Amino acid sequence: METVKITINGQEVSAPRGELLIEACEMNGIYLPRFCHFRGLTPQASCRLCVVRVDNPKNAKLQTACTMPVSEGMVVTTNSQEIEDVRAAMIEFLLSNHPVDCPVCDRAGECELQDQTYGFGEDRTRFPFEDKENYLERQISPFMYNDPQRCVVCKRCTRVCEEWMDEFAITTVNRGSHTLISSFNGWVECSDCGNCVDVCPTGTLLHVPYKYIARPWDLKQTPTVCNFCSDGCSMLAGTRAEKIIRTVARDGRGRTAGGINHDFLCSLGRYTIDFVHNRERLDRPMIRRGEHLVPATWDEALTYAASSLNEVKALYGGNSIGLISAARLLNEDQHTLRRFATEALETEHAEFYQDDDEIDLAAFFRYGTPTIATQEHIQNADAILLIGSDPNEENPLTAFSIRWAVRQKAARLFIVNASPSRLERQAQISILAREGSESAIVYALLDESKIDEAAGAMGAHADEIRALRRGLLESGRVVVIFGDELRGAALEALALLEQRLATPSVETAEAAKKAHIDALQREVRSSNSTQKPSINENPFTYIVERPTLDVGADPVRSETKFSFVPLVRYSNTMGAWQMGMSSATRGGMMAQAMLNSVGGGIKALYIAGEDVVAKANGDAELIRLQLEKLDFLVVQEMFLTDTARLADVVFPVTSFAEAQGTQVNNGSQVQFVRRSIPPVGQARPDWMVVNLVARLMGIEFGYQGQLKNVFKDISDNVEGYAGLSHNLLANEGATQIKRSQPDLSKINVADLMERLAIQVERINRNISVERHEITEKAGSRLQKRYPLITRYSEMITPKLPQEAQAETPAPLIFPA
Amino acid sequence: MTKVLTSRFDLKGKACDIDVYLKTGGYQALEKAFKELTPEKILEEVKKSALRGRGGAGFPTGMKWGFVPKESKRPKYLINNADESEPGTGKDRDLMRYDPHQMIEGMIIAAYTLGANVSYIYIRGEYWYIKEILEKAIAQAYQRGYLGKKILGSGFDHDMYVHPGAGAYICGEETALLESLEGKRGHPRLKPPFPAVVGLYGGPTIVNNVETLAAVPWIILNGGDAYRALGTEKSGGTKLYTVSGHVNRPGNYEVPLGYPLMNLINEECGGIPGGRKLKAVIPGGSSVPIINAAEAGKCNMDYESVAAVGSMLGSGGVIVMDESTDIFETTRNITHFYMHESCGWCTPCREGTRWLYKVFDRMKRYEGRPGDIELLYDLADKILFKSFCPLGDAAAMPVQSAIDKFRDDFDRRIKYDLVQIHKAAD
Amino acid sequence: MYSESNEKKLDEIISHYPVKRSAILPALYIAQEENGYVTDDDIKYLAKRLDMRINEVEEVVTFYTMYSRKPIGKYKLQVCRTVSCMLLGAEQITEHISRKLGCKLGETTPDGRFTLVEVECLGYCDLAPVLQVNFDYHEKINTESLDKIIEGLK
Ligand SMILES: Cc1cc2nc3c(=O)[nH]c(=O)nc-3n(C[C@H](O)[C@H](O)[C@H](O)COP(=O)(O)O)c2cc1C
Ligand code: SF4
Ligand code: FES
């Protein structure tokens, strides 16, 4: 990275060229106070706290460091009396109408207004209390309180809402000193991500579920990883008295979990955590006595399970027992379960549960592991191809990164999808395809001469596909993000992209990028948030001059031109795959097949953490009947689910908050999940339970009851894990697991293309291409994926006090 | 005295009709510009004329036009700033309702010089009837081929539209105006880039005041040098002043730059009613520092001379106040204006103007506290040059100058508490 | 919600600009004409019509003082309160109207005919004091001419 020399307070230092002065100062150990400046948001220069003096004969005024790019030889003063006076004055202004009700404010203790006042303000106020204008606190959404009087109008919240989430659900209304954070009619309709609340530097926006619950300094904050979608956001779990109270990506003082998601978190990771303490959590083992499940001691339950499994095994052989795990269980659990299956049960049938509409990882990894892209790769891509799925719905962080890449780095976004997504607004080309035809795009990409055929199959214009293909050809780094819509041969054939659409020369790539930026019709220099150029047909894309996320670092890029993000479904689907929790590789049965074979080959099932009855869309009754036919059923669960009710033995296990171990996201990054509270009741981690059952069945894994030994076993035996340890991961954060690239020489290309051709041919052309409405609420599909959690979380469906709704929509209107 | 801008004012609006305008010499400058001059030549004449922006900042117009890049991928725009909301100013109103074609002609010439194919007149929403006058005039100009495709047989196309504002003083500030024109809240933009390079919809854009553009036809017809000769060396031509307040004949008067202020008040406006004495003048609209009678006495109305007495020519809104005036009250009134018109973007202006007004408000009730005057001064100081755009400065300057010059009026408003009464007794 | 002629007007206005949303200010005047204020439906409709998001319309409406989000009287009496008018007695004008109509500043008369407000400088400083009734200017007013104006509106 190119650097320039600048002088700050008489000292010569260096800083990356074009870096904002405020960041350059911070890099050199000089913190400038600020409210409106925020990493990753467009500059605004409204709070006027960051003023500095820049020696410039042309401009005698103080300058805002948050908008000034550094240039060679710049001479800056940040600590004169003059500047200190201005800062103190700005703080005094901001406090003038502030109620100074810190004792009853949830933000106190992690409030930037407190901090800045303490650091840069004065210990007096000249504004008389009786002159303050009163605005009452009000609830403005199911999850948000707003106290306008505490507001410093930094507009971080509104920018986050627009730039990160593309929602524009919250904005400023009125003008002058009446400016308020509000929205149409005063009630905010959004996906409830809560990011606006997290970035708020003061107590203006507050989380409803956390209101008056705890003082921040009473919270123990444990960095851990979210357990829901496959993006794997880091978060700080705030706990008090062994209860998990809140999760944030970033607390009010700017402390973050330091993960791949920076300051981002979605509604699910934030507002569901209370399920952990639901009264219905299983707190002790249960054994079936006739019709009923009755509490038992661990010893009884373990012995009963072990001896019964041994019996089945002795009677019908190991392959009469199937093992199903939930994809959200940690690597350590999956690994122990797999060993349990092969060594103790001696069965080939061990698989993590997959819905019909999940990505077929076996096909994708058939010839090896293509480069997997992380969120940072997405954010730094030149082009992004999204096939199927809707990250906005199912992988909110991925959606955030896509928008980021488009907005901040002028990445080109191409979408091929049968159902419309809100991300279309950022797309350069968005192809609405016939349902079930998305695979055809791979055919068209690999072979230019097949574009017309693919277009016919997809019900799309050949020209658009041609333009899309050209776009990918010209682009430097391309990230392909895909959902389960890619199937079979198309999925396998992704490995060929690298060869067929080879990397363009640097000049071609640069020229293409330039042309693209030009086509956006945006003057790159003209975009602070007051200045969103809107000439484009598409008002939802614009770019900012200076990317703000990768401050001081070179952009992260993959070595290959193409890298992939398989949008797998659960938090550790990828990990479960890597741990070999897959029958496909051993010739065993898939989970669904096991369930269907009950009454046939399968006599007993061992199910860890999956409610297979509830998951069976519409066929719940059928699955229930199947399970009833079993000779023996063991279930490890947090709750007495529909599946657990049918079990002969139920073991209570820990939730994500109580478990510790590692988990792998869709970017193949392994992350360390920290225990933030002790186990609820007698619950034990999943791996420990199977370990104990195995021991009673006479098999010893040699873990000596220690988690770190399980991981040692993993790092010794699983590809890509060599040299890793819990300690290392806890310190390093997300670490990508790299496995061997596909060996192209082993692919029978002719055969593969032939199969792909057949696949395209078979697409049902009678299905019409339909435009559905975009779901209003982002992430609603995501919520449906976790019936267990959404059922047991009260946070996620806040009881809206009728009165609150009746009172709220009285927007303050100006002038009166 | 030569009338550059107001030669048709006596027709009381008849010149709105294009035929009357044509009969009185209208559109000849346009013919000349298109048939005899090149854009370069026009720019040269404007530079020579020493015409300075009449919107308030007084920036040399020719120089500003020169900032527009010759080649631009994005369309260029010309904007006529008719937002006229500076208290004390009503000149653009008369220029538009008495002689709309003159301004339109000036705009077409300016657009031709800049190579802008579209121009907008951003007029304040309250002037709805003037908007209608302008629209009629524009329609006539289209009919006669002065607007539209291939104007006067040249290769130059131009379209002109009127865009109404909706009650926001800040939208007179050129970048806030652009935001507003793009359909957003009227918050000013960060500069640089300046509008001449990146303006409306990202294209190079020139924003000029009505009066500035209305002077252009005369300059083209009579030459830059002739225009300059009307005024002073540094600021050429004539200026239209709106004189309001305590004078016998308030109104709009066109006089050459450098004209003595007292002549304007005593001769053009017929002096102060009731034979009362002059107390103070705000020479350039409410944003500029107030001056007292002595300073007014030696003040000539041009950019440099007004600066010499510590004020600014601004938009040319001359507010005259006689001895009966309480300067505390007028300053309070002006402060209310800025509090009301602050866009709320930046801290010092949003919070500072409210606070200033709160102090004024209690002083109005004669409940000012000892130290309040110093507080006012200090608050103004904390706004001045610290705000995002010049509106903050405009709010601060009147307060400071009023306290400096008319402190007695402020002192009366301070409530003397017992301590002070006792002190005085001792 | 919009009559055909208004739709035509709107189309014409939109055609003036390269981006639709630029038409929002003029469009809001048309919307406001109907009910005297900008209704929720107006906002939703204009958002669709001009490719804006609802909140983008709301933030614009509330920024500009000439739009009202609440019902107001048929005649909006706007007295200029700024310095030049104040020097020539704007306060007395307001008081006079207030007494005459029996309604305070910012209020609407019970019959829903008049709303009395003070506004900032109307650009008629040399013709002060000035009253604007909806869009009509009345210059150099005094108590007598005021009475006539108000009578004329009844
Ligand atoms: C707060 C503020 C309000 C302004 N209002 C107006 C106005 O109402 N009319 C105007 O012509 N210029 C106004 N200006 C000046 C414009 O920003 C701009 O300088 C001017 O329109 C340029 O035209 P000129 O060069 O012809 O003077 C204002 C400036 C500021 C800072
Ligand atoms: S000084 Fe600040 S708040 Fe005031 S008008 Fe300018 S930008 Fe808006
Ligand atoms: S941080 Fe620079 S003005 Fe707010």
Side-chain angles (χ1 to χ4, degrees), chain A residues 273-309:
Chain A
I273 47 163
D274 61 332
F275 81 90
V276 168
H277 300 291
N278 191 290
R279 251 183 279 122
E280 292 182 34
R281 267 293 290 275
L282 286 173
D283 59 353
R284 66 190 87 174
M286 313 261 257
I287 290 183
R288 176 160 303 281
R289 293 260 188 272
E291 287 288 287
H292 300 284
L293 280 169
V294 296
T297 65
W298 270 101
D299 278 347
E300 282 170 338
L302 287 167
T303 325
Y304 180 42
S307 58
S308 306
L309 288 170

Side-chain angles (χ1 to χ4, degrees), chain B residues 170 187-188 341-347 349-350 387-392:
Chain B
I170 186 63
H187 292 302
E341 298 301 333
S342 163
C343 79
W345 184 259
C346 68
T347 306
C349 172
R350 181 186 65 240
S387 52
F388 188 88
C389 84
L391 190 143

